[in-house]
Amino acid sequence: MARRSLRRPVPVPYARMNEKDRERARGLILAHVRNALVAGPHAVLELRKGLPVEALGAFPIVLNEMVEAGEIASMGHSVYARVPWMPATRKVVASPVKDMVFAALSELAREGSLPEELAENLVLPLKTVQRALVDLEGEGMIHESRIPGRYRPVSRRMASHVRRGAAGRIFADVLSHA
């Protein structure tokens, strides 16, 4: 009886993958991580489970690309979550001042707010608020309303997400502690 060789797949470091293998691994990992995170936050090793062995070398690279793109975020303690409503095209960077200005605009009336009103309500210097407004407008998050000098979010849906905050989002313990 002839002996058949059963070759097991082996992990290949990303640097040694050819372009075709990198693209295949990238596609598999993107789909796998996106599908997993729809169910909620997962630990990084949980995200890695179920991937083909030959794609594991690309996992940290692709995961980092997803973080840089703002599609997913680290919640600390090796847990990653999907960023629910942000575009997947820019890195998510914390900016409390911009977040406060955007949140205040989301809470206010339809006609928008003047920078002076925002500065007064948020107890921030006017120049700081104006810089945040310029940045938010440049990012496509806000625009000037019909009334000159007043700003408002570009999307009612986005404003609604901001007003609700974390309501309706479940951050569950996904590790088995058996």
Side-chain angles (χ1 to χ4, degrees):
M1 186 179 234
R3 198 168 190 187
R4 222 167 69 183
S5 170
L6 297 174
R7 267 186 66 204
R8 286 188 167 163
V10 293
V12 178
Y14 187 76
R16 289 199 326 212
M17 288 182 181
N18 62 38
E19 198 58 40
K20 182 181 172 186
D21 290 339
R22 284 181 178 182
E23 284 305 311
R24 182 179 173 279
R26 188 175 188 282
L28 287 169
I29 294 166
L30 285 171
H32 179 78
V33 170
R34 286 174 180 154
N35 288 336
L37 293 182
V38 165
H42 280 70
V44 71
L45 293 179
E46 289 177 321
L47 291 173
R48 194 171 178 261
K49 283 182 185 172
L51 286 170
V53 174
E54 57 273 11
L56 294 179
F59 180 73
I61 307 300
V62 176
L63 201 64
N64 191 56
E65 288 175 359
M66 294 177 82
V67 169
E68 289 289 320
E71 186 174 352
I72 64 172
S74 172
M75 297 173 63
H77 307 289
S78 302
V79 175
Y80 287 82
R82 188 169 63 105
V83 178
W85 63 81
M86 292 301 291
T89 55
R90 66 176 79 93
K91 183 178 179 179
V92 175
V93 178
S95 174
V97 170
K98 279 187 350 188
D99 291 343
M100 288 173 57
V101 170
F102 186 68
L105 286 172
S106 299
E107 289 287 332
L108 300 171
R110 264 194 207 177
E111 69 273 356
S113 290
L114 292 167
E116 295 81 8
E117 294 170 340
L118 291 167
E120 185 179 325
N121 288 339
L122 297 172
V123 193
L124 291 170
L126 179 59
K127 292 236 184 256
T128 302
V129 170
Q130 289 171 329
R131 266 188 307 234
L133 290 169
V134 168
D135 289 346
L136 287 166
E137 191 170 23
E139 292 170 7
M141 303 293 283
I142 64 168
H143 64 91
E144 206 168 358
S145 69
R146 290 183 215 129
I147 303 169
R150 292 188 173 270
Y151 291 88
R152 67 182 189 87
V154 293
S155 161
R156 287 187 185 148
R157 182 173 171 256
M158 181 70 76
S160 171
H161 279 302
V162 172
R163 281 193 298 272
R164 282 198 325 254
R169 290 169 184 80
I170 298 171
F171 300 98
D173 183 6
V174 292
L175 288 174
S176 62
H177 297 285

